[in-house]
Amino acid sequence: MAMSIDNIFGIGGTALNAQLVRMNNTASNLANAGTTAPSEKEAYRGKRTVFKALMDEEMIHAGAPYIGGVKVDKIVDDTKPIPRVFDPSNPLADGEGFVYQANVNEVTEMVDLMAASRSYQNNVEVVNTARELMMRTLDMIKA
Amino acid sequence: MDVLSNALGIHEKALRVRNQRMELLARNIANDDTPHFKARELDFKSVMAEFQPADNMSSTHMTHFPHADENPDDDGMRYRVPFSASVDGNTVELSVEQAKYGKAAADYQATLSFLENRVSSIRKALRGE
């Protein structure tokens, strides 16, 4: 077994990737927070990112090749009810004068964005520490 | 040649175990937001015990059991008990993991320093200074 400090890079990398997907989804939620739609079906639903740990050999494939890392398992729609608002002057209003808004709460999204960015920073720190230790290990032959 | 092959002593193995532990902690940190993920820990002592020479009990009779590792299948993996359980079944507590990772990095550097000392003394011996 080769020295596996580069596994830490891989694990950190999968985490950075996963958190980036989460941040993208949050950005998409925020961008669509104010949108309205003519029917409940067409209304924007918040996207939630669900993570999954990479535990088995069979889960290893291109893009997430490290056991113990993390990957985006699925992206699910938020199940919160779609707000139905009476706004007859809106060109998108349905026959009864209602529009359907996105079920996104900006405050929740901002908190989620902060959490994702903190997790991202954490993993950058993990990779940085591992890199420093690797460099020191390489320097050992100079001792 | 025998002197040189044992020159790095236990530290070479220790570095490997330290590295393994850092990898495990990196996994915990990576899975901070994964539902149902259980944080794990490596029991350094039980892993290193495998590398220690077994204290040979002398058997004076052929029916005596040979000395054996108490838990030969023990790979040193333990599940961490969280201070407070979270709703989604995840037992990673980031502050705990960060602290452990920091300490693990320091431990790794300590083992590195031991190794550096060994390497430089071998170097001195070879140069004959």
Side-chain angles (χ1 to χ4, degrees), chain B residues 18-31:
Chain B
R18 298 241 188 256
N19 181 53
Q20 201 187 343
R21 172 139 191 272
M22 286 198 65
E23 196 185 313
L24 200 65
L25 293 174
R27 286 177 193 182
N28 289 346
I29 294 176
N31 284 289

Side-chain angles (χ1 to χ4, degrees), chain A residues 38-55:
Chain A
S39 73
E40 192 175 336
K41 212 178 165 188
E42 289 167 82
Y44 181 84
R45 284 173 166 76
K47 304 280 177 275
R48 299 273 164 259
T49 322
V50 182
F51 292 155
K52 189 172 187 179
L54 295 166
M55 300 302 274

Side-chain angles (χ1 to χ4, degrees), chain A residues 95-133:
Chain A
E96 297 168 47
F98 285 96
V99 291
Y100 299 84
Q101 295 177 337
N103 64 347
V104 174
N105 181 343
E106 279 108 330
V107 179
T108 317
E109 297 303 325
M110 285 311 292
V111 172
D112 197 51
L113 192 62
M114 277 161 69
S117 101
R118 272 298 152 81
S119 292
Y120 192 94
Q121 286 171 19
N122 268 323
N123 284 289
V124 169
E125 237 12 82
V126 166
V127 172
N128 261 337
T129 307
R131 186 177 52 85
E132 276 166 27
L133 292 179

Side-chain angles (χ1 to χ4, degrees), chain B:
Chain B
M1 210 48 215
D2 204 35
V3 181
L4 279 185
S5 59
N6 287 325
L8 299 180
I10 193 81
H11 301 301
E12 183 202 347
K13 280 127 186 165
L15 194 71
R16 241 180 272 171
V17 180
R18 298 241 188 256
N19 181 53
Q20 201 187 343
R21 172 139 191 272
M22 286 198 65
E23 196 185 313
L24 200 65
L25 293 174
R27 286 177 193 182
N28 289 346
I29 294 176
N31 284 289
D32 177 40
D33 296 309
T34 309
H36 307 298
F37 183 83
K38 306 293 179 225
R40 287 188 299 175
E41 173 65 289
L42 190 71
D43 184 9
F44 190 78
K45 195 178 166 192
S46 72
V47 180
M48 285 310 287
E50 283 176 33
F51 297 123
Q52 302 286 1
D55 39 348
N56 287 320
M57 267 190 288
S58 53
S59 48
T60 50
H61 193 271
M62 59 180 295
T63 55
H64 284 173
F65 287 112
H67 172 81
D69 194 352
E70 282 174 38
N71 304 309
D73 296 330
D74 187 7
D75 58 355
M77 292 291 209
R78 307 277 186 271
Y79 284 108
R80 182 160 291 154
V81 179
F83 288 109
S84 58
S86 75
V87 189
D88 63 356
N90 185 307
T91 64
V92 180
E93 285 166 318
L94 203 52
S95 45
V96 175
E97 299 300 333
Q98 278 173 321
K100 298 246 181 210
Y101 190 81
K103 187 166 180 295
D107 290 344
Y108 188 97
Q109 296 210 25
T111 302
L112 266 188
S113 303
F114 287 128
L115 275 172
E116 273 168 9
N117 283 342
R118 295 283 179 111
V119 170
S120 65
S121 44
I122 293 167
R123 214 168 263 251
K124 264 183 204 149
L126 287 177
R127 281 207 201 105
E129 282 170 0

Side-chain angles (χ1 to χ4, degrees), chain A residues 28-39:
Chain A
S28 166
N29 291 347
L30 277 170
N32 286 288
T35 56
T36 51
S39 73

